Amino acid sequence: MSEKIASLSQAEADELLTKNGLNEVPEPQFNFFKEFLAKLWNLSAWILEAALLLECLLGKWIQSFFVLLMLLFAAWNGASKKKQSRRVLNTISHKLTPLVSVQRDGIWKTIDSKYLVPGDLISIQSGDVLAADVQILDSPVSFDESSITGEAKTVKKNITDIAFAGTTVTEGSSLARVTATGANSRSGKTINLINNSAAPGHLQQLLTKIIYYLCILDGILTLVIVIASFFKGGDLKNLIDMLPFLAMMFIASIPVAMPSTFALSNSFEATRLSKEGVLTSDLTGIQDAANLNLILLDKTGTITENKTAVSQWTNFSEMSNDTVLELASAAIDQRNKKIIDTAITDYISNCNLQIKTSKDFTPFTSARGYSMANVDNHNVKLGSFKQLSLIDSTALTKVKDIDFSSGRSVAVLIDDILAGVFILEDKVRSDSKAALAELKKRGVLPIMLTGDNQKTAQAVAKQVNLSGKVISIHDFNDQTDIQHLAGIADVLPEDKLRMVKFFQEKGYIVGMTGDGVNDSPALKQAEVGIAVSNAADVAKRSSKMVLLDDGLTSIVKILDAGHRVYQRMTTWSLTKLARTAQLTMLLTFGYLFFDYIPMALNAMVIYTIMNNMVTMMIGTDRTHITYRPENWDMAKLAKIAFSLAFGWTLIGIAGIWYLNNHNFSHGTISTMVYVYLVLSAMFIILITRTKHYFWQDYPSKAVGLTQMGDIILTIVLALSGIAMTQINWINLLITIFISLIAAILIDLFYQPIMKNK
């Protein structure tokens, strides 16, 4: 049919491109002010705003200023990191612009969709995401138009109908004429394959629970103080005077830095991965990669090279070999060549034979199992021997001498009679054996998936040292021994979603590689869906990660990125739990034992602001790679954090007792407690960020400089008496010495526990 439909010449396309511009519309500029205001309208902001109002009503103007400063910092910081994340994803999205098959000068070629122009003749097929508005020319095609209508139902387009940019081809194939590009298209925006899912990953959901537990702790300790106040003979005025302190205890629990730390760490790793050949379309995929303990791998193009070649051809027809091969060539999809199409085309061309084209061609679909063409008064079918043998009942007797285990089989039927069989071999990639060994070393169970027969799959598994059984999908059931499973053969694309759900129900965190249209549901279902380099557009849109390079090595890089994010957020969690628990316990027990809260309100606010600044930088910290899937144990994490907090609190209470008994003023004690809390917070970060003793490892430059800035500011405020009682150098040095000794003693107990964590 394409022979009858005129296409543009390259010169005409270049002229139209100059006239109309690229097929893209710049993304709307990020509105920082709007995002800033949005950060002032959420639960964390409401607590800060309530505290600000309370301070103003009580006439605490200095404290009100600091609370306002914290509120504005949280909003500015959140908006800044959102802008940074948006910039990273926008950069990646330009690398995920769909490719399109277009005819120029009568020759089919694949180009970046941003170079499409009105009038271009393109070929569309199932799985494509349209990059421009087009008119259907030769065959009805069904589309998912939910991206523009919001309704998830299939819409059928007939010949001459218009299909719109951003919609996905769900069924059928056709030639189409581009009618509008860029801003003139229905969607009016750049088409990319970024998955804008806002759903939190497993790690973020767990960290949210931490904040919940901290609020419960603060609520209990606040209640203790209120009850103790009445037992100590306090009146309503005394309770009112304590309200700002009680409010600050809740403020200290607010995860002001958590969204920023997440955004910073994820963006940092997404940028790093993009330079290593992996594009991130959903940031939660990086987080979940740390927990990954099972991955389902497509054999072709992932374990084996993306270079399939014909190793054997057998002619069963009475026609000459050349005639059968030329007829077979007509059933090859020349518009949208896949691996098998290219391999058979190369084989026929190397035989110096003509590649025939047909005006009556039906492309391959997985449901049908073959492509078809009518040429030279013959009907030719090319596809799966398993499917085609159902058409010719004599096929099985003809192929008794063919060794199907040596490779993938592709059969040719001429007029519904088996005419020949191609055997194609995939060469195992040189890096597959080492990459699979690395995955297993990291505690990830790799299971190979293939549509090939069991013998072929077993041979490939043996080459790459995948130990265990290779079974047929027909033998796969609830009793299958997963831990000793190397691969599954005879897999159809529609089987993959069922398998992903099966492993998830067994408690695994599942990774999945795929490339086809029918792989999309499984890629979306998997915690870490990975689209390989030659994947269909819809597969890339459904996945969380997209590989730019073939092979398995890039998957190891994804695991490394996940572990780095996970370790940083573990440090954040431990420090947040420990520091918040330490602050609230120190103030609560200080009040119970000494009849006053041993820290000035101004100092408490400054301490909270400084803590959030340094914890935000944890998102860029140096870290180590863990050679096992991470397992978030909330009970163990809380136990470690509260043990740290208890140690620091015990030493702090002992120090306050000593200072009280040696006639230090309450103001001096308050400032020394402030310095002690700041230093302990810095030491807690240094202790929890590494499995070595804190003096044997060093943080990233950003973390180190922020810590130094916090410490210097603390010293300046304490010695100058700004917003707190002034102390002298001797008091300062005593506090620093006690903090250092405390850090060393606590770390001597802490590190043996962490090494067994």
Side-chain angles (χ1 to χ4, degrees):
M1 177 90 183
S2 60
E3 290 81 359
K4 294 182 179 180
I5 303 175
S7 63
L8 297 177
S9 66
Q10 187 62 51
E12 289 172 327
D14 291 341
E15 184 179 342
L16 285 167
L17 189 65
T18 303
K19 178 183 177 181
N20 297 298
L22 293 173
N23 177 32
E24 61 182 13
V25 176
E27 294 285 343
Q29 291 294 318
F30 180 81
N31 190 321
F32 184 86
F33 182 69
K34 184 177 180 180
E35 188 65 32
F36 177 84
L37 292 178
K39 297 298 181 184
L40 296 175
W41 191 255
N42 55 50
L43 181 60
S44 297
W46 293 338
I47 297 175
L48 288 170
E49 288 157 4
L52 176 61
L53 182 61
L54 178 63
E55 299 287 0
C56 291
L57 290 174
L58 295 174
K60 306 285 186 179
W61 301 113
I62 295 178
Q63 290 87 344
S64 299
F65 170 75
F66 282 120
V67 175
L68 177 63
L69 186 64
M70 181 184 292
L71 177 65
L72 296 177
F73 168 77
W76 172 84
N77 187 43
S80 298
K81 294 303 172 286
K82 182 71 175 288
K83 182 179 181 180
Q84 182 177 347
S85 297
R86 178 70 62 85
R87 189 189 309 122
V88 169
L89 280 178
N90 284 346
T91 301
I92 292 172
S93 72
H94 293 304
K95 300 178 182 179
L96 277 174
T97 304
L99 299 177
V100 63
S101 181
V102 61
Q103 191 181 78
R104 300 262 175 90
D105 295 318
I107 300 172
W108 286 101
K109 59 178 70 176
T110 301
I111 65 170
D112 192 311
S113 62
K114 68 182 178 181
Y115 298 114
L116 281 178
V117 295
D120 260 331
L121 179 64
I122 67 172
S123 175
I124 59 175
Q125 61 177 343
S126 181
D128 287 347
V129 176
L130 294 188
D133 291 354
V134 300
Q135 182 180 41
I136 308 301
L137 296 182
D138 66 351
S139 299
V141 183
S142 295
F143 292 87
D144 175 359
E145 293 190 339
S146 59
S147 61
I148 58 174
T149 66
E151 297 182 13
K153 63 179 181 179
T154 300
V155 178
K156 188 174 183 179
K157 301 284 185 177
N158 295 310
I159 296 173
T160 73
D161 285 348
I162 300 296
F164 305 112
T167 60
T168 303
V169 182
T170 57
E171 186 179 352
S173 62
S174 177
L175 293 174
R177 180 80 66 192
V178 175
T179 58
T181 59
N184 296 319
S185 67
R186 169 73 177 271
S187 65
K189 63 180 180 181
T190 303
I191 304 300
N192 62 62
L193 302 174
I194 288 292
N195 182 352
N196 289 308
S197 167
H202 286 71
L203 179 58
Q204 193 166 349
Q205 292 172 359
L206 289 167
L207 292 182
T208 302
K209 291 182 181 179
I210 292 176
I211 309 306
Y212 173 74
Y213 294 134
L214 283 174
C215 288
I216 291 177
L217 173 67
D218 284 347
I220 293 172
L221 294 179
T222 299
L223 187 61
V224 168
I225 290 179
V226 171
I227 295 173
S229 173
F230 283 106
F231 275 103
K232 290 175 179 288
D235 53 19
L236 183 60
K237 182 180 181 302
N238 183 46
L239 181 59
I240 292 174
D241 290 339
M242 291 176 63
L243 282 177
F245 288 94
L246 300 179
M248 279 308 304
M249 286 176 65
F250 277 98
I251 290 173
S253 299
I254 297 174
V256 171
M258 187 180 80
S260 302
T261 308
F262 260 112
L264 187 62
S265 189
N266 285 327
S267 301
F268 187 76
E269 291 302 329
T271 303
R272 183 172 182 168
L273 283 173
S274 69
K275 296 175 182 177
E276 296 178 337
V278 181
L279 300 183
T280 305
S281 61
D282 188 332
L283 293 176
T284 61
I286 298 177
Q287 301 170 31
D288 288 335
N291 305 90
L292 191 70
N293 52 17
L294 183 146
I295 187 165
L296 303 174
L297 300 165
D298 263 347
K299 176 181 75 68
T300 305
T302 305
I303 295 177
T304 60
E305 287 187 2
N306 203 5
K307 297 176 182 177
T308 301
V310 175
S311 63
Q312 179 184 341
W313 158 251
T314 305
N315 181 10
F316 295 109
S317 171
E318 294 180 358
M319 300 180 188
S320 69
N321 201 54
D322 292 355
T323 300
V324 174
L325 288 173
E326 286 186 350
L327 288 173
S329 70
I332 297 172
D333 192 342
Q334 298 295 337
R335 296 182 202 161
N336 302 286
K337 284 185 178 179
K338 299 294 188 294
I339 300 169
I340 293 175
D341 297 317
T342 301
I344 297 177
T345 299
D346 290 346
Y347 180 79
I348 296 173
S349 297
N350 291 336
C351 293
N352 298 317
L353 299 175
Q354 178 187 357
I355 302 297
K356 289 183 176 290
T357 57
S358 171
K359 298 176 182 179
D360 186 7
F361 173 75
T362 303
F364 174 91
T365 65
S366 58
R368 186 187 304 112
Y370 57 84
S371 59
M372 182 171 64
N374 290 308
V375 61
D376 297 344
N377 297 319
H378 292 287
N379 175 267
V380 183
K381 294 181 176 70
L382 180 71
S384 161
F385 174 79
K386 185 176 181 180
Q387 292 293 105
L388 294 179
S389 64
L390 299 176
I391 298 174
D392 181 4
S393 59
T394 66
L396 292 175
T397 59
K398 293 179 181 179
V399 299
K400 59 184 179 181
D401 295 327
I402 293 182
D403 181 11
F404 283 95
S405 67
S406 60
R408 177 181 296 188
S409 61
V410 178
V412 180
L413 261 62
I414 298 178
D415 300 326
D416 289 342
I417 301 297
L418 182 67
V421 173
F422 294 99
I423 298 296
L424 292 79
E425 286 187 359
D426 292 337
K427 184 180 178 182
V428 172
R429 293 184 57 84
S430 58
D431 66 334
S432 291
K433 189 174 180 179
L436 285 168
E438 189 67 22
L439 287 173
K440 288 186 283 188
K441 180 181 177 182
R442 292 164 187 268
V444 179
L445 175 63
I447 298 177
M448 179 181 68
L449 303 181
T450 177
D452 291 342
N453 61 65
Q454 199 169 340
K455 288 184 178 179
T456 302
Q458 184 69 63
V460 173
K462 185 176 181 181
Q463 290 183 63
V464 295
N465 278 358
L466 276 178
S467 57
K469 291 183 178 181
V470 174
I471 65 172
S472 171
I473 186 67
H474 308 299
D475 300 322
F476 183 74
N477 53 49
D478 287 347
Q479 282 69 49
T480 300
D481 185 358
I482 298 172
Q483 288 299 318
H484 296 90
L485 186 62
I488 305 174
D490 303 316
V491 174
L492 296 176
E494 48 267 32
D495 294 324
K496 295 178 181 178
L497 176 60
R498 177 172 64 88
M499 294 168 63
V500 170
K501 290 182 176 179
F502 172 85
F503 289 117
Q504 288 175 331
E505 288 169 1
K506 294 291 185 181
Y508 289 94
I509 304 298
V510 181
M512 168 84 193
T513 67
D515 62 355
V517 180
N518 291 336
D519 293 341
S520 299
L523 288 171
K524 194 169 186 177
Q525 176 69 28
E527 280 85 359
V528 187
I530 304 170
V532 298
S533 57
N534 64 334
D537 294 341
V538 70
K540 291 178 180 178
R541 176 170 280 183
S542 300
S543 65
K544 294 182 179 179
M545 321 295 292
V546 179
L547 305 185
L548 297 181
D549 304 318
D550 295 329
L552 295 168
T553 303
S554 296
I555 297 176
V556 177
K557 296 174 183 175
I558 295 173
L559 293 180
D560 288 349
H563 283 294
R564 285 191 290 268
V565 169
Y566 203 96
Q567 292 299 323
R568 291 175 189 136
M569 297 317 298
T570 298
T571 300
W572 180 91
S573 304
L574 285 169
T575 56
K576 181 64 179 176
L577 280 167
R579 288 183 290 105
T580 303
Q582 178 197 6
L583 173 66
T584 53
M585 288 193 298
L586 191 65
L587 300 186
T588 301
F589 293 135
Y591 178 76
L592 293 175
F593 297 154
F594 309 114
D595 295 330
Y596 72 100
I597 295 179
M599 187 176 184
L601 182 58
N602 292 345
M604 194 187 304
V605 178
I606 295 171
Y607 166 78
T608 305
I609 293 174
M610 293 168 67
N611 267 341
N612 283 312
M613 290 181 65
V614 71
T615 52
M616 181 186 68
M617 290 295 106
I618 291 174
T620 66
D621 196 16
R622 294 172 58 253
T623 186
H624 61 278
I625 301 301
T626 305
Y627 286 89
R628 67 178 186 275
E630 304 288 0
N631 180 24
W632 192 278
D633 188 336
M634 284 290 295
K636 190 170 186 178
L637 192 67
K639 182 179 178 182
I640 292 171
F642 286 112
S643 297
L644 282 169
F646 180 77
W648 284 103
T649 302
L650 186 63
I651 294 171
I653 291 294
I656 295 172
W657 175 83
Y658 176 84
L659 295 174
N660 271 306
N661 286 338
H662 287 77
N663 299 318
F664 282 75
S665 69
H666 287 181
T668 299
I669 294 174
S670 172
T671 303
M672 292 177 73
V673 167
Y674 160 71
V675 175
Y676 174 76
L677 283 170
V678 170
L679 292 176
S680 64
M682 300 304 113
F683 279 123
I684 287 173
I685 291 173
L686 295 177
I687 289 170
T688 55
R689 61 167 298 278
T690 178
K691 290 191 175 183
H692 303 289
Y693 293 111
F694 74 85
W695 57 85
Q696 295 177 320
D697 200 358
Y698 60 93
S700 68
K701 188 175 181 180
V703 174
L705 289 176
T706 307
Q707 285 188 311
M708 288 299 298
D710 276 6
I711 293 171
I712 291 171
L713 179 59
T714 296
I715 291 173
V716 170
L717 293 176
L719 292 177
S720 61
I722 299 174
M724 61 191 72
T725 301
Q726 183 178 10
I727 62 172
N728 57 39
W729 274 102
I730 295 177
N731 293 337
L732 177 66
L733 292 175
I734 289 173
T735 308
I736 294 174
F737 177 75
I738 291 173
S739 301
L740 179 60
I741 296 301
I744 293 172
L745 291 175
I746 288 171
D747 205 17
L748 289 174
F749 285 99
Y750 174 79
Q751 287 307 328
I753 297 173
M754 287 302 292
K755 286 179 180 178
N756 296 321
K757 178 176 175 287

